[in-house]
Every structure is written in C-alpha cells, then in structure tokens.
Amino acid sequence: MDVMCRTGSVLKFIGGVVNKAVSFLVFSVLDLVDFILCFAYKVADFCIEAEWRPCYCSPTKETITGSGAKILVSEQGGSKIVSLNSSKVQLEDISDTLYSRPSLVAEVSKLTVDELKKLKLDGSGTTMRTCKKIKKGSPRSSFTVNSIVVEMLQGKMVGQQLHHIPTWSDCDCKFCNSWTSSTKDTLFVKAQEPKDNKAREDVIFIHGFISSSAFWTETLFPNFSSTAKSTYRFLAVDLLGFGRSPKPADSLYTLREHVDMIEKSVLEDYKVKSFHIVAHSLGCILALAIAVKHPGSVKSLTLLTPPYYPVPKGEAATQYVMRKLAPRRVWPVMAFCSSLACWYEHISRTICLVICKNHRLWEFLTKLVTRNRVRTYLMEGFFCHTHNAAWHTLHNIICGTATKLDRYLDIVHSRLNCDVTIFHGKDDEVIPLECSYNVQRKIPRARLKVIENKDHITIVVGRQKAFARELEEIWNTASASN
C-alpha cells in the first residue's frame, strides 16, 4: 500500500512538472502569436472599416479634457470611470486586468522601456509625475488614461447613440442583431406567465458567461409543475452583449451597466416588486449586486457555481482572481480554455471570428453530423455574442468585482433575510467547488448542495426535472417563511 501511495505521489509530481514545463512553452508561443495578431487586426480593421480599432495591449497613453465626458482615473490596484454631466457624477469600476496582463513579451518590453526612461531621467535630472492633481485656477480638468477607453468613449462624449453597426469580425445575422430594429433600448427577456396572467410571485433567471436565456427556457421552463406555472411568472434575461440583447460597440460592460439594464428591462418593464433569483456562474455576481441593491425585495437567492475567490491580504485583488480563474496551464482542458479567453485579447477575438461569426455554419454541421438529434440551444448562448462584450464582461465582472464580493456577501449575511441556496457540481473544472464553500463560510445560513458526477453545465442540463423540483421547494419554503 505504501509503495502504491509513493508511486502515485511520484507520478503526480512528475505530471505536475511536465504540465508546468509544457505550459511555459505553449503560453510563451501564444504570447508571441497574440502580439503578431495585434498588428494583423489593426491592418485588417483599417483596410476593411477605414479606421483603427483600439486594443488594450497598446503601451501608449492619451489625455482627454473637458466636461460631459467619461474619463478613466488610474489608481493603484484598479481604475474608475468618471462620468461627468450636468446633473451627476457616476463611478464605474474598470478592471485593471483589461490592460495589465503580464506576459513574457510584455514584461520584456516593459523592462526595456523602464530602463530607457530611467536613463533618460538620470541624464536630464528630471522626474516624472502622473497627472493626479488639478491645478488651481484651471477651468478644465486633465487626466491620463488608457488609449482604448478614450477611443471607445469618443462617441458618448459627443452625445452619439449606441453604435449599432457590427464590426467586420462580428456576426451580422438577423438573430444576433435583432436588437438593432427595436425602438426600446432594453434587454431581451423571455417571460412565461400563468394563463390567467395572475402570477403571485416573480422569478428572475440570470445566465452565466457566454450563455443566454435559453439555458433556462429550454431546460427548466418546460419541466416546472403545473402548480408552479400557475403561481410564478418566470423571467429569463439575455445579459447585455449576449443572445438577443443589445451589443453596443462602445460599451465597457461594467457591473453598473449590466445591473442597470437588468433593472430597466426586468424590474421596471415588468413592474416587479418582490422576486426570487436563480443565477448561474458569472450571473451569481450580478444576482448578489441586485440583491444588495434591493434587499427588501428578494425572497430567495439560488446560486449555481458562484465564482468567489477570497483574496489574501497584500494581493492585488483583480490580478489574483484572474490567475485563479485562468492559471495559464494546458491541463486540465478547461483551464487552458479559460486562459485563452482571459489572457489573450487577439487570440480570443480570432476564436470569436471563427466560431461566433460563422455560428450558422457550425449549427448546420452539428445538425448534419448528429442527424438533427442534438438541440442547439446551448450553441445559441455560446455563439451569439461579440468579442467586445465577452472580453469586457469577463474582466469587469469576474475579475473587476474581486474587491466588491466580500462586501456583498457580508450584506446578504447581515442585512438580508432571504433564503440562500448554493448548488455546485462536484466535477466542475471551470469554477472549483471550493468557491461555493467560500460563499457558505461568508453566509453560514446558506445551504450548499454538492451534486455528484455533474459539472459546470450538467448541473442543470441533463437533470432539469430534478432541479425544477428543487427550485419549487426552495420557493415554497421561502414564501411560507416570509
């Protein structure tokens, strides 16, 4: 027995070393590939659309001045967008992981530039200072910002409407761009109401990253009991940038934008007063933000695989979460996929170009190969988004809220009386099971249910009937106790 344990330990150690060595080589090559793709896309964008499109790998900075604009104020550990207008000032968190993703190529470039700056400063006897203070008597403010934010917000600065025209690398089909023909600037919401239109309670469903409302409507909605269908109004939303919802090219897809759109499209349009929330993965962060903002309205909170990574003291929160979510390893496969999506702006854009822009072809081939035996509702969520939406949502929601989640969970624990239930698949390789245990430690009253032999998707898909019954039980218990 001891020999077998030692052999297993040795093999595990060797496997870990091999994984790290291969990962170092693979991601060193990917760093270079992403660097080359940066220039390739700049040329392609200029040739096809006659304009340069910004990217976050640019080392240049730009300065903007004036009022009525959005300005990125850089601070240690993060940045904030300041929106200035005649009536109010809004702050929107922007994750520094968007423009600070250290790679071998970037690190070498940065070290070289820093050394040259030091030599130049030593020779001139001057020192550089960032523009963090406003000069007295100056009628206009000046801030140093990342160039992409300036370019993306130029339209908003002059009062233009949302940019409805898809880029050449995005899908231009009617399904993906159905929002452009709508007169209402709201999210797509799939509502299922009782036949007599007299629902006693509302349930809001929020999907996860690169998904859509079909994740709920094609699995749970048909499997709720007749009693539940006559009692509840089900509201499943496509998040901003996904499915059939708007995909504005000038949006930074911040937490504020996502939450505001859900409030506008669901709570206000459907006149929702009190509600239950069911959320999956990234949607759990939005669910917590909504619950904290409407503490007296939430009857129950059901979280599936919440991505909560407690940040150790002294660590840069956003960078820590990015490395936990995307560890830059080739194995397991999901870690490799997460790393591609999180670390490489231009490689991930290429993946969107190949898959999302041509989703109709992939759906056709899937139906052809499977003889139409496989339903494609999961593909709808996976394919129907833009790279701009996925890239900013991933960084600004999962990474950018790293400093907020502790406060949200503390508020749910101390100020909200709603029932909290957590579900997590034991075989989930996208969000580790430890994340749900971390949430339960912050909210001791929360009930955690670990589902054997289920992963990030099959925690719902494949067990929708059982999960529908579990949700009905949660709602009935919450309603009885309120």
Side-chain angles (χ1 to χ4, degrees):
M1 184 66 69
D2 291 339
V3 174
M4 292 180 64
C5 289
R6 290 177 183 176
T7 302
S9 299
V10 171
L11 291 175
K12 185 177 180 180
F13 174 77
I14 294 174
V17 171
V18 171
N19 190 19
K20 290 180 180 179
V22 173
S23 297
F24 177 80
L25 294 174
V26 169
F27 284 99
S28 295
V29 173
L30 291 175
D31 288 340
L32 182 59
V33 171
D34 199 64
F35 181 76
I36 295 171
L37 285 174
C38 172
F39 292 97
Y41 277 118
K42 283 189 180 297
V43 173
D45 290 338
F46 186 77
C47 292
I48 298 173
E49 299 185 345
E51 65 176 350
W52 300 106
R53 288 201 171 271
C55 68
Y56 285 103
C57 58
S58 173
T60 61
K61 303 288 181 180
E62 295 184 20
T63 301
I64 59 176
T65 59
S67 61
K70 283 193 174 184
I71 342 173
L72 181 70
V73 182
S74 297
E75 299 174 350
Q76 186 174 2
S79 306
K80 290 183 181 297
I81 283 285
V82 182
S83 178
L84 301 176
N85 54 49
S86 59
S87 61
K88 60 183 177 180
V89 176
Q90 294 181 333
L91 295 179
E92 296 179 324
D93 285 343
I94 303 295
S95 175
D96 64 349
T97 58
L98 279 168
Y99 50 85
S100 179
R101 290 166 282 108
S103 64
L104 292 177
V105 174
E107 285 292 291
V108 171
S109 300
K110 184 177 182 302
L111 288 173
T112 303
V113 171
D114 288 346
E115 288 300 319
L116 291 174
K117 285 182 178 179
K118 287 180 181 179
L119 291 174
K120 183 177 179 180
L121 291 176
D122 290 340
S124 62
T126 60
T127 58
M128 287 185 64
R129 294 182 181 179
T130 58
C131 184
K132 292 183 179 179
K133 296 182 179 180
I134 303 175
K135 294 181 179 180
K136 294 182 179 180
S138 174
R140 305 178 77 180
S141 301
S142 176
F143 300 85
T144 300
V145 302
N146 186 278
S147 60
I148 183 174
V149 178
V150 180
E151 295 180 49
M152 290 187 67
L153 294 174
Q154 279 177 341
K156 291 185 179 182
M157 289 166 62
V158 296
Q160 292 179 0
Q161 297 300 315
L162 293 179
H163 182 29
H164 288 195
I165 303 174
T167 65
W168 67 270
S169 57
D170 292 329
C171 180
D172 58 357
C173 76
K174 291 183 179 180
F175 181 87
C176 291
N177 293 279
S178 58
W179 63 280
T180 60
S181 59
S182 175
T183 56
K184 295 180 64 179
D185 183 25
T186 55
L187 303 177
F188 173 82
V189 180
K190 177 65 175 179
Q192 181 172 302
E193 305 185 48
K195 294 180 179 179
D196 59 3
N197 294 322
K198 295 182 179 179
R200 295 200 299 270
E201 297 181 6
D202 292 305
V203 184
I204 300 174
F205 294 85
I206 306 175
H207 64 77
F209 184 58
I210 54 174
S211 186
S212 73
S213 57
F215 184 76
W216 309 111
T217 60
E218 297 291 331
T219 56
L220 294 179
F221 281 27
N223 287 289
F224 285 123
S225 66
S226 56
T227 302
K229 291 178 180 179
S230 63
T231 304
Y232 303 101
R233 178 171 59 173
F234 304 124
L235 303 167
V237 61
D238 281 351
L239 294 179
L240 183 68
F242 298 88
R244 282 172 276 186
S245 282
K247 304 172 181 66
D250 59 352
S251 173
L252 289 169
Y253 296 88
T254 61
L255 180 67
R256 177 185 295 276
E257 287 176 288
H258 278 290
V259 171
D260 284 353
M261 285 298 281
I262 293 174
E263 289 177 324
K264 177 181 178 181
S265 308
V266 182
L267 301 188
E268 295 177 12
D269 278 11
Y270 287 87
K271 296 179 174 55
V272 176
K273 301 301 181 183
S274 63
F275 50 90
H276 304 270
I277 304 180
V278 181
H280 177 241
S281 192
L282 174 143
C284 295
I285 298 175
L286 302 178
L288 288 169
I290 292 170
V292 167
K293 200 170 180 181
H294 303 271
S297 300
V298 180
K299 291 188 173 183
S300 73
L301 193 57
T302 303
L303 308 176
L304 284 72
T305 64
Y308 171 56
Y309 301 90
V311 181
K313 291 183 179 180
E315 291 278 358
T318 54
Q319 295 289 331
Y320 176 83
V321 170
M322 181 172 68
R323 284 171 169 78
K324 294 292 288 185
L325 179 69
R328 285 202 284 194
R329 291 285 183 267
V330 295
W331 188 263
V333 174
M334 291 308 302
F336 179 69
C337 294
S338 298
S339 298
L340 287 180
C342 207
W343 285 90
Y344 299 106
E345 181 178 1
H346 304 291
I347 291 177
S348 60
R349 182 180 177 183
T350 303
I351 295 172
C352 283
L353 172 62
V354 173
I355 296 179
C356 299
K357 184 177 177 64
N358 302 289
H359 69 89
R360 290 162 293 182
L361 173 62
W362 295 112
E363 290 172 3
F364 170 76
L365 291 176
T366 300
K367 292 179 180 179
L368 184 65
V369 172
T370 62
R371 296 182 182 179
N372 207 27
R373 290 195 298 265
V374 176
R375 299 183 70 184
T376 58
Y377 64 86
L378 290 176
M379 292 184 179
E380 173 188 318
F382 187 76
F383 292 150
C384 298
H385 64 271
T386 63
H387 173 255
N388 181 56
W391 178 254
H392 284 93
T393 297
L394 175 61
H395 284 277
N396 284 335
I397 304 303
I398 294 187
C399 300
T401 58
T403 57
K404 295 177 178 290
L405 284 185
D406 281 323
R407 181 172 65 86
Y408 288 169
L409 293 170
D410 287 340
I411 293 175
V412 172
H413 166 54
S414 59
R415 300 182 189 177
L416 272 70
N417 296 320
C418 65
D419 290 345
V420 181
T421 309
I422 309 166
F423 290 85
H424 209 117
K426 192 172 184 179
D427 297 338
D428 195 329
E429 293 183 345
V430 179
I431 304 297
L433 179 58
E434 183 63 25
C435 287
S436 286
Y437 282 116
N438 292 334
V439 174
Q440 189 183 41
R441 293 188 189 100
K442 296 288 289 185
I443 311 175
R445 75 174 185 275
R447 292 170 292 176
L448 172 59
K449 297 184 179 182
V450 180
I451 312 300
E452 297 287 339
N453 303 316
K454 299 299 178 182
D455 58 26
H456 199 67
I457 300 299
T458 57
I459 192 173
V460 174
V461 179
R463 63 178 298 270
Q464 49 262 41
K465 290 184 179 180
F467 187 50
R469 299 291 88 78
E470 291 168 334
L471 286 177
E472 290 179 30
E473 182 181 346
I474 291 171
W475 301 334
N476 290 335
T477 302
S479 299
S481 60
N482 289 331

